[in-house]
PDB file of all heavy atoms in Angstrom:
ATOM      1  N   HIS A  34     106.714  54.071 129.184  1.00 98.00           N
ATOM      2  CA  HIS A  34     106.387  55.496 129.186  1.00 98.00           C
ATOM      3  C   HIS A  34     107.361  56.221 128.277  1.00 98.00           C
ATOM      4  O   HIS A  34     106.974  57.042 127.457  1.00 98.00           O
ATOM      5  CB  HIS A  34     106.466  56.052 130.617  1.00 98.00           C
ATOM      6  CG  HIS A  34     106.258  57.532 130.696  1.00 98.00           C
ATOM      7  ND1 HIS A  34     107.252  58.444 130.375  1.00 98.00           N
ATOM      8  CD2 HIS A  34     105.174  58.273 131.046  1.00 98.00           C
ATOM      9  CE1 HIS A  34     106.785  59.672 130.522  1.00 98.00           C
ATOM     10  NE2 HIS A  34     105.524  59.604 130.935  1.00 98.00           N
ATOM     11  N   GLY A  35     108.660  55.937 128.435  1.00 98.00           N
ATOM     12  CA  GLY A  35     109.671  56.452 127.508  1.00 98.00           C
ATOM     13  C   GLY A  35     110.407  57.698 127.963  1.00 98.00           C
ATOM     14  O   GLY A  35     111.487  57.988 127.450  1.00 98.00           O
ATOM     15  N   ASP A  36     109.850  58.455 128.920  1.00 98.00           N
ATOM     16  CA  ASP A  36     110.506  59.676 129.402  1.00 98.00           C
ATOM     17  C   ASP A  36     110.115  59.907 130.858  1.00 98.00           C
ATOM     18  O   ASP A  36     109.632  60.969 131.249  1.00 98.00           O
ATOM     19  CB  ASP A  36     110.087  60.869 128.529  1.00 98.00           C
ATOM     20  CG  ASP A  36     110.935  62.119 128.795  1.00 98.00           C
ATOM     21  OD1 ASP A  36     112.007  61.991 129.435  1.00 98.00           O
ATOM     22  OD2 ASP A  36     110.532  63.221 128.373  1.00 98.00           O
ATOM     23  N   LEU A  37     110.355  58.872 131.674  1.00 98.00           N
ATOM     24  CA  LEU A  37     109.810  58.835 133.036  1.00 98.00           C
ATOM     25  C   LEU A  37     110.760  59.503 134.036  1.00 98.00           C
ATOM     26  O   LEU A  37     111.307  58.857 134.913  1.00 98.00           O
ATOM     27  CB  LEU A  37     109.523  57.390 133.448  1.00 98.00           C
ATOM     28  CG  LEU A  37     108.629  57.235 134.675  1.00 98.00           C
ATOM     29  CD1 LEU A  37     107.173  57.519 134.306  1.00 98.00           C
ATOM     30  CD2 LEU A  37     108.753  55.848 135.270  1.00 98.00           C
ATOM     31  N   TRP A  38     110.926  60.815 133.910  1.00 97.00           N
ATOM     32  CA  TRP A  38     111.691  61.540 134.922  1.00 97.00           C
ATOM     33  C   TRP A  38     110.716  62.128 135.939  1.00 97.00           C
ATOM     34  O   TRP A  38     109.490  62.082 135.750  1.00 97.00           O
ATOM     35  CB  TRP A  38     112.577  62.611 134.273  1.00 97.00           C
ATOM     36  CG  TRP A  38     111.878  63.791 133.675  1.00 97.00           C
ATOM     37  CD1 TRP A  38     111.119  63.816 132.547  1.00 97.00           C
ATOM     38  CD2 TRP A  38     111.908  65.133 134.176  1.00 97.00           C
ATOM     39  NE1 TRP A  38     110.664  65.082 132.309  1.00 97.00           N
ATOM     40  CE2 TRP A  38     111.124  65.926 133.280  1.00 97.00           C
ATOM     41  CE3 TRP A  38     112.504  65.755 135.274  1.00 97.00           C
ATOM     42  CZ2 TRP A  38     110.937  67.298 133.469  1.00 97.00           C
ATOM     43  CZ3 TRP A  38     112.316  67.126 135.458  1.00 97.00           C
ATOM     44  CH2 TRP A  38     111.543  67.869 134.560  1.00 97.00           C
ATOM     45  N   GLY A  39     111.248  62.684 137.021  1.00 97.00           N
ATOM     46  CA  GLY A  39     110.404  63.130 138.124  1.00 97.00           C
ATOM     47  C   GLY A  39     109.409  64.213 137.745  1.00 97.00           C
ATOM     48  O   GLY A  39     108.372  64.361 138.395  1.00 97.00           O
ATOM     49  N   GLY A  40     109.697  64.978 136.682  1.00 95.00           N
ATOM     50  CA  GLY A  40     108.780  66.025 136.235  1.00 95.00           C
ATOM     51  C   GLY A  40     107.576  65.503 135.483  1.00 95.00           C
ATOM     52  O   GLY A  40     106.657  66.274 135.168  1.00 95.00           O
ATOM     53  N   ASN A  41     107.562  64.207 135.154  1.00 96.00           N
ATOM     54  CA  ASN A  41     106.455  63.616 134.398  1.00 96.00           C
ATOM     55  C   ASN A  41     105.632  62.637 135.231  1.00 96.00           C
ATOM     56  O   ASN A  41     104.927  61.796 134.676  1.00 96.00           O
ATOM     57  CB  ASN A  41     106.976  62.914 133.134  1.00 96.00           C
ATOM     58  CG  ASN A  41     107.424  63.904 132.073  1.00 96.00           C
ATOM     59  OD1 ASN A  41     107.088  65.087 132.138  1.00 96.00           O
ATOM     60  ND2 ASN A  41     108.178  63.439 131.095  1.00 96.00           N
ATOM     61  N   VAL A  42     105.754  62.741 136.553  1.00 98.00           N
ATOM     62  CA  VAL A  42     104.932  61.922 137.450  1.00 98.00           C
ATOM     63  C   VAL A  42     104.306  62.840 138.491  1.00 98.00           C
ATOM     64  O   VAL A  42     104.847  63.900 138.821  1.00 98.00           O
ATOM     65  CB  VAL A  42     105.745  60.802 138.154  1.00 98.00           C
ATOM     66  CG1 VAL A  42     106.387  59.873 137.139  1.00 98.00           C
ATOM     67  CG2 VAL A  42     106.804  61.378 139.090  1.00 98.00           C
ATOM     68  N   ALA A  43     103.149  62.438 138.981  1.00 97.00           N
ATOM     69  CA  ALA A  43     102.434  63.238 139.979  1.00 97.00           C
ATOM     70  C   ALA A  43     101.440  62.322 140.680  1.00 97.00           C
ATOM     71  O   ALA A  43     101.462  61.098 140.487  1.00 97.00           O
ATOM     72  CB  ALA A  43     101.716  64.408 139.302  1.00 97.00           C
ATOM     73  N   GLU A  44     100.578  62.920 141.489  1.00 98.00           N
ATOM     74  CA  GLU A  44      99.502  62.160 142.119  1.00 98.00           C
ATOM     75  C   GLU A  44      98.333  63.092 142.395  1.00 98.00           C
ATOM     76  O   GLU A  44      98.467  64.325 142.365  1.00 98.00           O
ATOM     77  CB  GLU A  44      99.974  61.505 143.431  1.00 98.00           C
ATOM     78  CG  GLU A  44     100.296  62.479 144.546  1.00 98.00           C
ATOM     79  CD  GLU A  44     100.800  61.782 145.817  1.00 98.00           C
ATOM     80  OE1 GLU A  44     101.439  60.729 145.713  1.00 98.00           O
ATOM     81  OE2 GLU A  44     100.536  62.325 146.910  1.00 98.00           O
ATOM     82  N   ASP A  45      97.166  62.482 142.606  1.00 97.00           N
ATOM     83  CA  ASP A  45      96.045  63.201 143.189  1.00 97.00           C
ATOM     84  C   ASP A  45      95.528  62.343 144.337  1.00 97.00           C
ATOM     85  O   ASP A  45      96.202  61.390 144.751  1.00 97.00           O
ATOM     86  CB  ASP A  45      94.973  63.538 142.141  1.00 97.00           C
ATOM     87  CG  ASP A  45      94.313  62.315 141.525  1.00 97.00           C
ATOM     88  OD1 ASP A  45      94.545  61.178 142.012  1.00 97.00           O
ATOM     89  OD2 ASP A  45      93.545  62.474 140.554  1.00 97.00           O
ATOM     90  N   ASP A  46      94.360  62.660 144.854  1.00 96.00           N
ATOM     91  CA  ASP A  46      93.868  61.911 146.020  1.00 96.00           C
ATOM     92  C   ASP A  46      93.585  60.445 145.685  1.00 96.00           C
ATOM     93  O   ASP A  46      93.561  59.597 146.582  1.00 96.00           O
ATOM     94  CB  ASP A  46      92.606  62.573 146.577  1.00 96.00           C
ATOM     95  CG  ASP A  46      92.912  63.945 147.188  1.00 96.00           C
ATOM     96  OD1 ASP A  46      94.085  64.178 147.534  1.00 96.00           O
ATOM     97  OD2 ASP A  46      91.992  64.777 147.285  1.00 96.00           O
ATOM     98  N   CYS A  47      93.363  60.156 144.397  1.00 96.00           N
ATOM     99  CA  CYS A  47      93.022  58.773 143.997  1.00 96.00           C
ATOM    100  C   CYS A  47      94.254  57.888 143.767  1.00 96.00           C
ATOM    101  O   CYS A  47      94.140  56.663 143.809  1.00 96.00           O
ATOM    102  CB  CYS A  47      92.193  58.791 142.721  1.00 96.00           C
ATOM    103  SG  CYS A  47      90.651  59.685 142.903  1.00 96.00           S
ATOM    104  N   GLY A  48      95.412  58.487 143.487  1.00 98.00           N
ATOM    105  CA  GLY A  48      96.587  57.664 143.217  1.00 98.00           C
ATOM    106  C   GLY A  48      97.571  58.368 142.301  1.00 98.00           C
ATOM    107  O   GLY A  48      97.439  59.564 142.012  1.00 98.00           O
ATOM    108  N   PRO A  49      98.569  57.634 141.816  1.00 98.00           N
ATOM    109  CA  PRO A  49      99.603  58.234 140.967  1.00 98.00           C
ATOM    110  C   PRO A  49      99.115  58.508 139.548  1.00 98.00           C
ATOM    111  O   PRO A  49      98.152  57.893 139.077  1.00 98.00           O
ATOM    112  CB  PRO A  49     100.717  57.183 140.972  1.00 98.00           C
ATOM    113  CG  PRO A  49     100.032  55.892 141.273  1.00 98.00           C
ATOM    114  CD  PRO A  49      98.839  56.217 142.109  1.00 98.00           C
ATOM    115  N   ILE A  50      99.803  59.433 138.890  1.00 98.00           N
ATOM    116  CA  ILE A  50      99.512  59.813 137.500  1.00 98.00           C
ATOM    117  C   ILE A  50     100.853  59.967 136.789  1.00 98.00           C
ATOM    118  O   ILE A  50     101.799  60.530 137.352  1.00 98.00           O
ATOM    119  CB  ILE A  50      98.760  61.164 137.437  1.00 98.00           C
ATOM    120  CG1 ILE A  50      97.444  61.106 138.231  1.00 98.00           C
ATOM    121  CG2 ILE A  50      98.492  61.573 135.991  1.00 98.00           C
ATOM    122  CD1 ILE A  50      96.890  62.482 138.599  1.00 98.00           C
ATOM    123  N   ILE A  51     100.944  59.462 135.575  1.00 98.00           N
ATOM    124  CA  ILE A  51     102.115  59.741 134.743  1.00 98.00           C
ATOM    125  C   ILE A  51     101.635  60.462 133.488  1.00 98.00           C
ATOM    126  O   ILE A  51     100.498  60.276 133.052  1.00 98.00           O
ATOM    127  CB  ILE A  51     102.921  58.461 134.396  1.00 98.00           C
ATOM    128  CG1 ILE A  51     102.101  57.450 133.602  1.00 98.00           C
ATOM    129  CG2 ILE A  51     103.456  57.822 135.679  1.00 98.00           C
ATOM    130  CD1 ILE A  51     102.897  56.217 133.173  1.00 98.00           C
ATOM    131  N   PHE A  52     102.488  61.297 132.909  1.00 97.00           N
ATOM    132  CA  PHE A  52     102.060  62.097 131.754  1.00 97.00           C
ATOM    133  C   PHE A  52     103.266  62.410 130.878  1.00 97.00           C
ATOM    134  O   PHE A  52     104.391  61.984 131.171  1.00 97.00           O
ATOM    135  CB  PHE A  52     101.328  63.366 132.215  1.00 97.00           C
ATOM    136  CG  PHE A  52     102.070  64.197 133.235  1.00 97.00           C
ATOM    137  CD1 PHE A  52     102.853  65.269 132.845  1.00 97.00           C
ATOM    138  CD2 PHE A  52     101.979  63.902 134.598  1.00 97.00           C
ATOM    139  CE1 PHE A  52     103.528  66.042 133.785  1.00 97.00           C
ATOM    140  CE2 PHE A  52     102.650  64.670 135.542  1.00 97.00           C
ATOM    141  CZ  PHE A  52     103.430  65.738 135.128  1.00 97.00           C
ATOM    142  N   ASP A  53     103.028  63.132 129.781  1.00 96.00           N
ATOM    143  CA  ASP A  53     104.073  63.467 128.789  1.00 96.00           C
ATOM    144  C   ASP A  53     104.856  62.231 128.329  1.00 96.00           C
ATOM    145  O   ASP A  53     106.101  62.250 128.292  1.00 96.00           O
ATOM    146  CB  ASP A  53     105.058  64.497 129.361  1.00 96.00           C
ATOM    147  CG  ASP A  53     104.461  65.892 129.448  1.00 96.00           C
ATOM    148  OD1 ASP A  53     103.298  66.060 129.031  1.00 96.00           O
ATOM    149  OD2 ASP A  53     105.140  66.812 129.938  1.00 96.00           O
ATOM    150  N   PRO A  54     104.180  61.143 127.928  1.00 98.00           N
ATOM    151  CA  PRO A  54     104.922  59.953 127.518  1.00 98.00           C
ATOM    152  C   PRO A  54     105.512  60.075 126.118  1.00 98.00           C
ATOM    153  O   PRO A  54     105.065  60.891 125.299  1.00 98.00           O
ATOM    154  CB  PRO A  54     103.838  58.853 127.540  1.00 98.00           C
ATOM    155  CG  PRO A  54     102.575  59.586 127.225  1.00 98.00           C
ATOM    156  CD  PRO A  54     102.722  60.953 127.859  1.00 98.00           C
ATOM    157  N   ALA A  55     106.532  59.266 125.865  1.00 98.00           N
ATOM    158  CA  ALA A  55     107.139  59.102 124.531  1.00 98.00           C
ATOM    159  C   ALA A  55     107.259  57.595 124.316  1.00 98.00           C
ATOM    160  O   ALA A  55     108.352  57.041 124.285  1.00 98.00           O
ATOM    161  CB  ALA A  55     108.498  59.781 124.489  1.00 98.00           C
ATOM    162  N   SER A  56     106.118  56.944 124.213  1.00 98.00           N
ATOM    163  CA  SER A  56     106.053  55.485 124.360  1.00 98.00           C
ATOM    164  C   SER A  56     106.622  54.710 123.179  1.00 98.00           C
ATOM    165  O   SER A  56     106.693  55.208 122.053  1.00 98.00           O
ATOM    166  CB  SER A  56     104.601  55.049 124.581  1.00 98.00           C
ATOM    167  OG  SER A  56     104.129  55.484 125.832  1.00 98.00           O
ATOM    168  N   PHE A  57     106.998  53.487 123.479  1.00 98.00           N
ATOM    169  CA  PHE A  57     107.325  52.463 122.483  1.00 98.00           C
ATOM    170  C   PHE A  57     107.436  51.144 123.239  1.00 98.00           C
ATOM    171  O   PHE A  57     107.417  51.120 124.464  1.00 98.00           O
ATOM    172  CB  PHE A  57     108.608  52.795 121.718  1.00 98.00           C
ATOM    173  CG  PHE A  57     109.863  52.856 122.560  1.00 98.00           C
ATOM    174  CD1 PHE A  57     110.732  51.774 122.637  1.00 98.00           C
ATOM    175  CD2 PHE A  57     110.190  54.000 123.276  1.00 98.00           C
ATOM    176  CE1 PHE A  57     111.889  51.826 123.417  1.00 98.00           C
ATOM    177  CE2 PHE A  57     111.346  54.068 124.052  1.00 98.00           C
ATOM    178  CZ  PHE A  57     112.191  52.974 124.113  1.00 98.00           C
ATOM    179  N   TYR A  58     107.514  50.054 122.511  1.00 98.00           N
ATOM    180  CA  TYR A  58     107.732  48.747 123.126  1.00 98.00           C
ATOM    181  C   TYR A  58     109.229  48.493 123.199  1.00 98.00           C
ATOM    182  O   TYR A  58     109.918  48.523 122.177  1.00 98.00           O
ATOM    183  CB  TYR A  58     107.033  47.647 122.318  1.00 98.00           C
ATOM    184  CG  TYR A  58     105.537  47.620 122.541  1.00 98.00           C
ATOM    185  CD1 TYR A  58     104.688  48.425 121.785  1.00 98.00           C
ATOM    186  CD2 TYR A  58     104.973  46.815 123.531  1.00 98.00           C
ATOM    187  CE1 TYR A  58     103.317  48.431 122.005  1.00 98.00           C
ATOM    188  CE2 TYR A  58     103.603  46.806 123.755  1.00 98.00           C
ATOM    189  CZ  TYR A  58     102.786  47.613 122.995  1.00 98.00           C
ATOM    190  OH  TYR A  58     101.434  47.610 123.230  1.00 98.00           O
TER     191      TYR A  58
END
């Protein structure tokens, strides 16, 4: 994900969601 702090994770009724990534391998 690259920037996985608590402000970039969430959930809805179906399960977890991550967002605002700064990805790389």
Side-chain angles (χ1 to χ4, degrees):
H34 175 282
D36 191 15
L37 195 76
W38 70 289
N41 287 344
V42 301
E44 67 182 31
D45 64 9
D46 292 339
C47 300
I50 302 161
I51 61 176
F52 52 95
D53 286 358
S56 292
F57 63 98
Y58 284 87

